[in-house]
Amino acid sequence: MSAVPSLDVPAVAPSPRRHLHLVPSGPAVVDSLEGGRSTRRAPLTRRAVLARRRFAALLALLVLVGGGLLAAKAVAEANPAGGATSVTVKDGETLSQIAARELPSLRNDRGVVAIQEANSMSSMHVQAGQRILVPAG
């Protein structure tokens, strides 16, 4: 036989159901709770508004200048000025043939795109006698 200690715990009657109560809110209640002190900020002076606008304009200008410098650096790295050669297109020659001959280290399609970018060309059409720049491959 085993012994089980008994606990004398009084039975607790369930508490009556609580109801929600509406609590007033708004600035009048906040003022009355704080003893009349308002937590609202005073409106900014004209001088403070102008100072904030100048700061925002300066920040925007710095972002634009920084972005421009980064873009210029990317363009300079993508199109190095040194090593580009000038080629005159022969009669019946295509841009694809020039890319294959002048840029053998690149795939032909990439060579064509490199030549188009170096010359700001929007198409693959070239004419006999036209001079085009071929970037270093």
Side-chain angles (χ1 to χ4, degrees):
M1 204 186 224
S2 64
V4 176
S6 68
L7 297 175
D8 293 331
V9 177
V12 178
S15 62
R17 190 170 184 181
R18 296 187 180 179
H19 297 282
L20 295 176
H21 297 282
L22 293 178
V23 177
S25 63
V29 174
V30 172
D31 286 345
S32 67
L33 291 175
E34 294 179 353
R37 294 176 306 182
S38 177
T39 58
R40 294 182 187 171
R41 290 184 182 174
L44 293 175
T45 62
R46 180 170 169 77
R47 186 175 182 179
V49 170
L50 290 175
R52 285 185 180 188
R53 285 184 184 170
R54 273 189 242 116
F55 178 72
L58 178 65
L59 198 60
L61 180 67
L62 287 175
V63 168
L64 287 174
V65 169
L69 290 175
L70 289 176
K73 182 179 177 184
V75 168
E77 288 176 356
N79 297 326
T85 58
S86 178
V87 175
T88 304
V89 179
K90 298 175 187 163
D91 191 30
E93 196 171 32
T94 64
L95 194 57
S96 184
Q97 291 170 336
I98 296 170
R101 183 183 70 232
E102 298 293 329
L103 299 169
S105 62
L106 294 177
R107 283 186 4 203
N108 199 26
D109 60 335
R110 292 183 189 221
V112 169
V113 171
I115 293 173
Q116 285 177 320
E117 287 177 352
N119 293 282
S120 302
M121 298 170 71
S122 60
S123 71
M124 291 181 53
H125 299 293
V126 290
Q127 296 176 353
Q130 181 181 354
R131 296 188 61 81
I132 57 174
L133 289 175
V134 178

